Amino acid sequence: MVNATHPGSDVAAETAAALAAASVAFTGPHGDPRYALTLLKHAKQLFQFAKNHRGLYQNSIPSARSFYRSSGDEDELLWAAVWLYIATGHQEYKAYIAGANNVGGVRQSLGWDDKFVGAQALVAKLILQGKLPNNGRHAEMTSNVESFLCNVLQHGDGRSGRLTPGGMLYLQPWSNLQDVTTAMFVLVTHADHLAAASASLQCGGVRLPPAQLVSFARSQVDYILGKNPMKMSYMVGVGKRYPLQPHHRGASLPSIRKYPGKISCGKGAEYFHRSAPNLNVIDGAIVGGPDNNDHYDDSRGNYQQGEPSTYTVAPIVGVLARLLHN
């Protein structure tokens, strides 16, 4: 548990950001204004708690150290402040953004442990909308996120990945598609913000219109859904060919309806080492994806390529929703 004596400002601020963002979604004639106010109330409380009780959550919850270890809390605090400013317009959050000690610089990716790109993209949006001045930390954050996007679009220094021979953005061997889907989400949202302001993305001497950003995102989604050298959809259950052995316990073990008894660790290992397809199809899950030569080894033990995750599939929902309207 995270509390005043066992702080976790990273997870508290991240939760504050989520609640503030949700409050924005539930505000309006088609939402639930009362629920939105409840969400916002707790978002404010958690942000204040995070500021007053700094400390990484794995130091309070040691069991987390070996799995999802946090690298810091400055990104989550900034992320929360930006969302709270969007939700409230209050000077307190605007001042926090302008006075932030660390706004991230040019990041390699957006992910579960690094929210700087997300915060930068939101600040860039607010500047384009005339809700924040284009100076100081605000201008710095806009420059940072645009440099990130230029790198993604292959008009930068390559720190955000290079294209494989088949055209996939490749950054790392372990769950590479998480970096692809998050980058594409930022790409399409920023493209819309630019389009609304009749602006474009400047990458060195190249000016890229919003439509080109969306086109690149579409190419990556097409790759994920089967337009690739393996002719395989990396979203399970989509298309004629997709991974049959994702590294997922619930998918590889029998349903409780077919095996109501307890499955011991030893018994579970038997299912893990089977060469047959998983017993359950986890429709909609996205696996880690192929390597830098577009090869995918569909083996349950290949966790780097075969492990699905919520932080990989969640961003593509937004990207797909955007592409449906293009």
Side-chain angles (χ1 to χ4, degrees), residues 40 73 76 79 104 112 122 128 131-132 149 162 187 204 269:
L40 189 55
D73 65 355
E76 282 88 5
W79 179 234
W112 60 267
L122 288 175
L128 287 167
K131 296 178 180 179
L132 283 177
L149 291 174
R162 295 294 190 188
L187 203 61

Side-chain angles (χ1 to χ4, degrees), residues 166-168 221-235 238-244 290 293-298:
M168 176 187 67
V221 172
D222 287 345
Y223 185 105
I224 292 171
L225 297 181
K227 194 175 181 180
N228 56 63
M230 295 284 291
K231 293 181 170 52
M232 172 183 282
S233 168
Y234 295 111
M235 179 179 280
V238 173
K240 295 181 179 179
R241 186 173 183 230
Y242 52 82
L244 299 177
N293 288 310
D294 302 294
H295 177 73
Y296 181 80
D297 176 19
D298 189 13

